[in-house]
Amino acid sequence: MLKSPAPVFRGMDFAAVAETLSTLEETPSRLEMTEIVASLLKSSGRDLRTVVLFIRGRVFPPWDPREIGVAQKSMIKCVSTATGTPAKKVEETIAALGDTGLAAEALFTKKPQTTLTKKKMSLAEIHSSLEKMASWEGKGTQEKKGRHVIELLNSVSPNEVKYLVRLVLGEMRVGVGEGIMRDAIAKAFGVPAAEAERAFSLINDYSEVAEIARTKGEAGLKKIGILLFRPLRPMLAQTVHSVQEALDNGCRAWEYKYDGMRIQAHIKNGEVRVFTRRLDDVTHQFPDVAEAIKNTVTAKEAIIEGETVAVDESERPRPFQFLSRRIKRKYKIDEMVRDIPVITYLFDCMYLDGKNLTTQKMKGRRAALNKIVTEGNHVKFSRTLITNSADKAESFYKESLKLGHEGVMAKNLGAAYKPGSRVGYMYKLKPVTETLDLVIVAAEWGEGRRANWLGSYLLACRDPDTNEFLSIGRMATGAKDEQLQYLTDTLKPTIEFQKGKFVKLRPTLVVEAGYQEIQKSPTYESGYALRFPRLITIREDRAPEECDSLDRVASLHERFTAKK
Ligand code: ATP
């Protein structure tokens, strides 16, 4: 007897999801948005994981290094070819509407309809199609990807085009942040939001959290543990302004605060992978760090944490800019390893031979770290002092600054490791330079000698309620030629549109900015303006969503006015 073919999974139509995304975009209330997302998740069935990813503007979960690899410029070409509109007109439409997805939708709406009736694309089809694109490599890939995007755009309705374009470019702009997603999962599948958040901080993937909540409920979420080679969200530090304040908060362990890149190394049977604070895998850029860890750690399986710092011949720290050159470097890694040597100072151990140590006290975690690491030339323990004497801690702080480090970290020896939270278990103490980490949202081409560089960067902070970026000032000083070149090269592919010298950028890059003062001002969207903002460093290690919030700006402003 002939076997009937297995039923093909079709699932939801992409058009239906696009409809919901439209509704979300028009919904201002966070509560209502949560309801809408929750009911979409509830009805997603086997499409759930894709739905969660798409709403957040992703094709792959955050820990997955795969990328679609279609930049803004190529997208403009695709829209131009698919709609028969000159590229310049596409750019103008983007400039007028302020968004590539919206512009594509408008141009596709105007396009004369083909006589062929379009078949409805399912969500699964769109997903697997984009997934396939990410796997293409080698010569001619860009052209092949372009043709594929055009084919996809031509297969869907203008409303779907809008979201497809945004998806390919990696930004959905419907305002669903991690908080709304967490609450929607909780609502849709009747699990506690805190449990969803805990699971997320460990596996860093809300699509998987949602799937487990759907199929296994709260009990399933509770079982989620640490996974090797899946970075967990680092525990973050609060700020103190004096040694005494840290002592008052229960801290007895003092460590040098190194100015480098926070790394999390995962080790399994001799294989080592290195992740950044943003959970990016940088093993390729830092083979020396992986090798050094491999040679110094004796455990079979472990997750350890530390700060990697660029150093000179006498092991003195070099400014962060040196290290930052290594972070995004894809080629000629050997040269970088030779020219910018690094030391990794280890300070924590979150997992050891099958055991999750995050629930253990810091004292125990540090003891575990000490047991499995033998210091070498490139891997050392963070310099630590245990004391409850304010004088001794103060001298330690001064000593750290004298050696060129940033300050001290004060830690609570009795506290657990809370992934992804800024709980009061660890504090940073550094000289008062209240800088802000801000995202660049626009810029202007320079003049004269600087004509080929972007300069005068429009900076923005984050509105924690809406996840939008709100402008706060223009930064035109502090960048050296080399940094201007770097900023230009990095920002150019993110240009959304250009008008004269002005370019609107997709918010992708964070910088640390210094300033003289924060004032209230109607000029910028945030309602505040920085006086004389200047570039301190480029923070590739920070995601735009991690830039400073409007609340922090407001509290710094308050502090300024109080001091006056
Ligand atoms: P965040 O508090 O969000 O990490 P940030 O990146 O601006 O903000 P810093 O002000 O630099 O943070 O202080 C915290 C960072 O200090 C840690 O994330 C880590 O990268 C670094 N650091 C340096 N030395 C240590 C140490 N001994 N222990 C813990 N963290 C350290």
Side-chain angles (χ1 to χ4, degrees), residues 431-448:
V432 207
T433 44
E434 291 286 11
T435 58
L436 281 167
D437 287 339
L438 300 166
V439 74
I440 300 178
V441 291
E444 266 177 42
W445 289 106
E447 286 180 355

Side-chain angles (χ1 to χ4, degrees), residues 313-339:
E313 317 74 56
S314 357
E315 296 193 356
R316 269 194 310 260
R318 290 162 97 183
F320 182 75
Q321 285 91 297
F322 284 93
L323 190 74
S324 97
R325 274 198 243 151
R326 289 196 55 177
I327 299 177
K328 287 216 166 152
R329 183 75 167 238
K330 285 196 178 138
Y331 312 104
K332 297 196 182 157
I333 303 290
D334 296 355
E335 275 175 25
M336 282 278 128
V337 171
R338 191 193 57 216
D339 296 344

Side-chain angles (χ1 to χ4, degrees), residues 185-204:
I185 292 173
K187 194 158 184 46
F189 307 114
V191 296
E195 210 51 68
E197 187 166 314
R198 187 200 74 92
F200 176 65
S201 71
L202 292 176
I203 61 173
N204 189 25

Side-chain angles (χ1 to χ4, degrees), residues 415-428:
Y417 189 102
K418 285 260 183 246
S421 6
R422 201 180 287 281
V423 277
Y425 296 166
M426 154 163 118
Y427 294 86
K428 47 191 177 191

Side-chain angles (χ1 to χ4, degrees), residues 151-266:
E151 203 181 305
L152 278 178
L153 294 175
N154 276 331
S155 325
V156 296
S157 70
N159 189 47
E160 290 167 89
V161 161
K162 170 161 83 179
Y163 296 108
L164 191 53
V165 164
R166 290 182 182 175
L167 201 52
V168 170
L169 294 177
E171 56 172 52
M172 195 39 87
R173 292 191 167 180
V174 293
V176 178
E178 278 167 10
I180 294 187
M181 187 53 82
R182 173 202 59 211
D183 293 348
I185 292 173
K187 194 158 184 46
F189 307 114
V191 296
E195 210 51 68
E197 187 166 314
R198 187 200 74 92
F200 176 65
S201 71
L202 292 176
I203 61 173
N204 189 25
D205 180 358
Y206 265 129
S207 71
E208 196 170 337
V209 171
E211 184 61 20
I212 293 171
R214 177 177 83 100
T215 51
K216 303 193 176 111
E218 185 180 348
L221 288 184
K222 280 211 156 87
K223 275 200 199 129
I224 289 183
I226 289 178
L227 296 176
L228 272 171
F229 300 132
R230 176 83 66 87
L232 43 141
R233 316 202 117 210
M235 176 162 78
L236 302 174
Q238 291 186 3
T239 305
V240 283
H241 299 98
S242 68
V243 155
Q244 192 56 49
E245 200 182 336
L247 282 169
D248 294 345
N249 282 311
C251 296
R252 297 293 178 265
W254 308 84
E255 294 177 22
Y256 283 178
K257 182 177 190 314
Y258 302 96
D259 185 14
M261 167 183 79
R262 185 161 181 176
I263 62 118
Q264 192 181 113
H266 289 225

Side-chain angles (χ1 to χ4, degrees), residues 517-520 528 554-564:
E517 203 181 324
I518 301 178
Q519 299 171 321
K520 284 227 165 167
Y528 294 95
S555 85
L556 286 173
H557 170 259
E558 232 167 72
R559 212 163 341 136
F560 267 111
T561 24
K563 271 191 202 158
K564 270 186 180 169

Side-chain angles (χ1 to χ4, degrees), residues 88-103:
K88 197 155 177 1
K89 177 92 195 339
V90 177
E91 283 177 24
E92 282 166 11
T93 317
I94 298 173
L97 299 177
D99 171 68
T100 315
L102 278 175

